[in-house]
């Protein structure tokens, strides 16, 4: 499962953007165990670098 949290940078933060021009808040992977059957998974967001939120112009 992949749940990226990315956004377009403010003009003043463009130097922090990744190779596709976006700010990636998930600098470390979070592993979530889910059963082999269909269902829901809870992604806590605990590894999101909240300092990077100020760099975002708009979340996606």
């Amino acid at each position: 499962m992949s749940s990226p949290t990315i956004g377009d940078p403010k003009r003043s933060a463009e130097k922090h953007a990744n190779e596709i021009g976006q700010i990636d808040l998930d600098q470390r992977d979070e592993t979530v165990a889910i059963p082999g059957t269909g269902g829901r998974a809870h992604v806590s967001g605990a590894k999101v670098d909240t300092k990077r939120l100020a760099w975002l112009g708009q979340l996606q």
Side-chain angles (χ1 to χ4, degrees):
M1 183 176 110
S2 177
S3 178
T5 306
I6 58 173
D8 294 323
K10 293 179 181 177
R11 186 173 295 289
S12 61
E14 288 177 346
K15 65 183 177 188
H16 300 293
N18 62 17
E19 62 277 357
I20 61 170
Q22 295 184 319
I23 300 295
D24 186 357
L25 299 176
D26 301 324
Q27 291 299 296
R28 298 172 289 157
D29 290 338
E30 179 176 352
T31 301
V32 178
I34 56 174
T37 60
R40 296 181 182 189
H42 173 76
V43 179
S44 72
K47 296 187 178 184
V48 167
D49 188 349
T50 56
K51 291 178 282 188
R52 293 172 175 246
L53 291 172
W55 297 346
L56 294 177
Q58 182 177 12
L59 281 175
Q60 294 183 358

